[in-house]
Amino acid sequence: MSIESREMLINMGPQHPSTHGVLRIILKLNGEKIAASEPDVGYLHRGFEKLAENMLYHQFIPYTDRLDYIASMNNNQSYVIAVEKLLGIEAPPRAQAIRVIMSELGRISSHLVWLATHALDIGAMTVFLYCFRERETIIDLFEETSGNRLNYNYSRIGGVAFDLPEGFKDNLRKFLDIFPEKLGEYHRLLTKNRIWMSRTKGVGILTREQAINWGVSGPVLRGSGVKWDIRKAFPYDGYENYDFDIPTDDACDVYGRYLVRMEEMRQSRRILQQALKHLPDGKVILEDSPYVSPSKEKIMTENFSLMKHMVLTIKGMHTPIATLYSATENPKGELGFYIVADGSGKPYKLKIRAPSFINISAMPTMLRGNYLADVIAVIGSLDFVFGESDR
Amino acid sequence: MLFKDLRKGLAVTIGYLFRRPVTVQYPTEKLIPPERSRWRHYLGVFPEGKIRCIDCGLCERVCPPKVIKIIPEIREDGTKASGEYEIDLGRCMYCGFCVEVCPELAILMSSDNYEFSEYNRDRLIYQKEALLQSGSLSGGNDE
């Protein structure tokens, strides 16, 4: 007697608790092994690139919050840096330092959400609850600074919206003091746990060559042993003044990416400590720049400032006629903005290079030959957000 | 020792069994939002009761999702006066640009009035009368 075997096609998603949003993966199975797979994205498409063409440069800032909604601060920063480069202006040193603090806090909070959901998908629920407890502290810091809990809208072209609130430094220092202990707890729960290791080691292999060829970025690239970080390669907002390491891992599997992200959280804490120590004084937004609205006091007292404010709000600024690509290192990878400016107040074209989208495209390579249950582990290790991938 | 790796993790979780929970029981206990929190809008008035808004329309222009609608009232001598003012809070993205651009401190966002959910989207469209109340008040369109 012979058993007939044939390939089976199944749809995983679009609604699936482990796909972190709405992702459909068409899996071709040979028994329980994956012969081929095809990710299908686009369920969360909202047309941000087209929307950007119809609004002034500063009006698009709150929309960048909705790209990678786990790390809104980093998206804000990335977009305003692109526009600042286009205009040829630079934020004051204090604003740059504040942006670095915010983006590193955003990185820690994004990685905490990743660890929480990744562990929950694989079956460790405890970690989920502990990670969200620490994330809450970071969100409280963001809330008292920017006024919102998730979509901050904090960075502005030429600086940041408000100065740090009273007591922020103490609260941040308190968080940085307790954080290593909590990080140690996550390590004790997972790193040497035999269930965790057997679920993640040797799963979802993406070799160094494949990673470079697919163009993946961020921790996924560094988990394949490539030492690449835009904060080091093309420093922005004064990152060249901070001392930190780029963690890499040569394992090229899910476990390797796990270790890289865990180490990144520790490095972010190092940057935060240095930023707190050397936080400069001064203005938080450019003044007397033709592209930035004056302060509220000036608008309410000086006629010229009011006129300038009206023109900037209604007509926007006169940008140089140029095309420009600017990228920053987001928690998910390289978030880039490609702007074609035609001299008016609105971008002629704004293209977003979303790291999640490009990391998803490498998924079929990682899945081939693995078991069906490992799909969840691979999805977790890629850490994508669909707000950004589908934009 | 047997299962040393698993015991290490269990030691962490058992340690937490004897600590106080961090959860806030929301409807019974409430946290106080920070000063800068951006919640429900309200219109500013002068101490004598006159509305501060001069119908310049900057908030209407800057609003990214375009939820503010202003219809100015033209007086007999041709000057503008504050007419109709409407905000659709169901579509608002709470970016705070309207407050930021207002040159007259006429539109503000309250820092603690966050409980205004409704069963009906129409009730989230706030008219001028509702926006003049800074305290909690539900709904613009009572039907």
Side-chain angles (χ1 to χ4, degrees):
Chain A
M1 193 182 104
S2 69
I3 298 168
E4 192 193 344
S5 94
R6 60 190 168 142
E7 287 186 337
M8 189 167 88
L9 217 67
I10 66 162
N11 272 320
M12 190 176 155
Q15 281 91 29
H16 190 279
S18 305
T19 52
H20 301 190
V22 269
L23 167 70
R24 183 168 72 126
I25 314 172
I26 305 156
L27 294 165
K28 201 184 262 180
L29 294 179
N30 190 355
E32 260 205 90
K33 285 212 165 173
I34 295 156
S37 62
E38 193 187 326
D40 181 14
V41 298
Y43 287 94
L44 206 62
H45 179 65
R46 290 154 294 171
F48 278 176
E49 291 176 3
K50 192 70 193 168
L51 272 172
E53 293 168 19
N54 292 302
M55 52 180 66
L56 303 175
Y57 283 97
H58 63 269
Q59 279 181 306
F60 191 63
I61 299 171
Y63 283 88
T64 58
D65 284 332
R66 276 101 179 140
L67 286 173
D68 174 3
Y69 39 78
I70 305 293
S72 300
M73 281 288 188
N74 302 58
N75 303 333
N76 281 176
Q77 186 201 23
S78 188
Y79 174 68
V80 297
I81 284 176
V83 179
E84 280 172 10
K85 274 187 191 163
L86 174 74
L87 300 172
I89 55 175
E90 207 171 57
R94 185 176 170 86
Q96 290 192 353
I98 292 175
R99 279 193 210 157
V100 167
I101 290 178
M102 291 305 158
S103 74
E104 291 310 316
L105 275 174
R107 195 180 313 277
I108 294 180
S109 114
S110 167
H111 283 357
L112 282 174
V113 174
W114 155 79
L115 180 63
T117 50
H118 186 31
L120 183 69
D121 291 345
I122 294 184
M125 179 149 183
T126 320
V127 188
F128 177 83
L129 301 169
Y130 293 174
C131 286
F132 267 68
R133 181 190 56 200
E134 266 71 72
R135 178 177 177 253
E136 191 64 28
T137 325
I138 299 178
I139 287 190
D140 284 345
L141 287 173
F142 283 159
E143 192 188 7
E144 66 179 47
T145 314
S146 72
N148 245 353
R149 286 176 61 81
L150 197 67
N151 297 312
Y152 310 110
N153 187 20
Y154 182 57
S155 298
R156 291 286 180 279
I157 297 161
V160 291
F162 320 102
D163 203 348
L164 294 176
E166 228 173 287
F168 178 88
K169 276 180 155 182
D170 296 329
N171 291 343
L172 178 57
R173 209 166 282 134
K174 237 181 270 168
F175 170 73
L176 293 180
D177 287 343
I178 61 155
F179 189 61
E181 182 201 327
K182 306 290 181 194
L183 206 56
E185 266 175 17
Y186 311 146
H187 273 298
R188 283 207 290 285
L189 284 168
L190 292 176
T191 308
K192 292 280 175 235
N193 186 308
R194 65 184 65 193
I195 304 166
W196 181 259
M197 280 161 84
S198 57
R199 281 302 302 271
T200 54
K201 273 200 167 173
V203 171
I205 301 274
L206 188 73
T207 61
R208 197 187 144 90
E209 285 71 34
Q210 284 168 339
I212 293 171
N213 288 347
W214 276 108
V216 298
S217 51
V220 183
L221 181 67
R222 292 191 280 275
S224 292
V226 185
K227 204 168 178 157
W228 176 255
D229 191 317
I230 298 170
R231 288 176 292 174
K232 286 269 191 206
F234 302 103
Y236 53 90
D237 270 357
Y239 264 113
E240 63 272 20
N241 305 327
Y242 300 100
D243 177 32
F244 62 100
D245 301 327
I246 309 172
T248 55
D249 200 285
D250 293 325
C252 305
D253 58 1
V254 175
Y255 192 69
R257 277 164 237 144
Y258 160 75
L259 290 179
V260 166
R261 285 204 181 88
M262 293 297 267
E263 181 59 24
E264 263 184 29
M265 284 198 258
R266 225 170 57 80
Q267 297 298 334
S268 288
R269 180 177 168 271
R270 263 179 78 191
I271 299 175
L272 281 168
Q273 277 178 324
Q274 294 166 39
L276 256 185
K277 212 171 164 189
H278 306 293
L279 189 65
D281 289 327
K283 299 269 181 282
V284 293
I285 190 153
L286 279 181
E287 284 179 5
D288 306 323
S289 162
Y291 307 115
V292 182
S293 271
S295 66
K296 200 114 177 170
E297 288 77 37
K298 280 189 173 175
I299 293 170
M300 292 183 74
T301 49
E302 292 172 14
N303 201 8
F304 173 74
S305 297
L306 178 65
M307 298 299 287
K308 183 181 164 193
H309 173 65
M310 286 252 183
V311 171
L312 279 176
T313 310
I314 293 171
K315 286 228 157 146
M317 50 215 172
H318 289 289
T319 56
I321 300 172
T323 59
L324 160 133
Y325 177 77
S326 152
T328 59
E329 184 75 24
N330 255 35
K332 310 286 187 292
E334 174 185 342
L335 177 67
F337 286 91
Y338 179 72
I339 302 176
V340 181
D342 60 354
S344 70
K346 297 169 182 174
Y348 180 76
K349 166 77 189 163
L350 189 124
K351 162 91 175 76
I352 301 163
R353 188 237 190 243
S356 297
F357 179 72
I358 288 151
N359 291 355
I360 291 171
S361 64
M363 205 159 65
T365 319
M366 300 157 108
L367 287 179
R368 201 171 300 126
N370 281 309
Y371 287 103
L372 177 59
D374 295 334
V375 178
I376 303 301
V378 171
I379 288 175
S381 80
L382 280 172
D383 185 26
F384 38 71
V385 165
F386 281 95
E388 184 181 59
S389 146
D390 301 349
R391 41 197 190 276
Chain B
M1 193 142 51
L2 204 60
F3 295 127
K4 196 180 163 212
D5 49 330
L6 298 183
R7 281 180 187 204
K8 233 162 107 183
L10 276 175
V12 175
T13 48
I14 288 168
Y16 273 105
L17 260 182
F18 304 104
R19 287 191 219 172
R20 283 169 60 87
V22 291
T23 323
V24 177
Q25 301 295 332
Y26 164 60
T28 47
E29 308 170 46
K30 283 179 191 170
L31 296 172
I32 300 164
E35 244 176 83
R36 288 178 184 174
S37 291
R38 300 195 293 266
W39 295 108
R40 216 206 77 190
H41 306 68
Y42 64 94
L43 293 176
V45 287
F46 287 110
E48 65 265 24
K50 196 170 156 262
I51 296 170
R52 295 191 74 121
C53 180
I54 53 165
D55 278 27
C56 68
L58 274 187
C59 51
E60 196 182 11
R61 293 296 285 269
V62 81
C63 183
K66 301 190 171 56
V67 301
I68 301 178
K69 198 163 96 186
I70 300 174
I71 302 170
E73 187 189 302
I74 310 288
R75 290 206 202 94
E76 277 176 20
D77 55 354
T79 52
K80 268 202 241 174
S82 176
E84 280 177 46
Y85 198 103
E86 182 185 301
I87 300 182
D88 185 350
L89 291 179
R91 283 179 56 207
C92 175
M93 67 203 289
Y94 297 91
C95 63
F97 273 158
C98 48
V99 181
E100 212 173 296
V101 299
C102 183
E104 293 289 327
L105 302 178
I107 181 162
L108 303 154
M109 280 169 120
S110 79
S111 67
D112 52 358
N113 184 4
Y114 54 86
E115 289 169 318
F116 50 91
S117 53
E118 294 284 353
Y119 284 108
N120 188 344
R121 285 188 191 190
D122 289 349
R123 287 174 62 85
L124 283 169
I125 302 173
Y126 277 57
Q127 306 292 342
K128 198 173 180 180
E129 292 73 43
L131 286 169
L132 281 168
Q133 315 276 333
S134 56
S136 51
L137 178 92
S138 77
N141 299 350
D142 259 319
E143 276 158 39

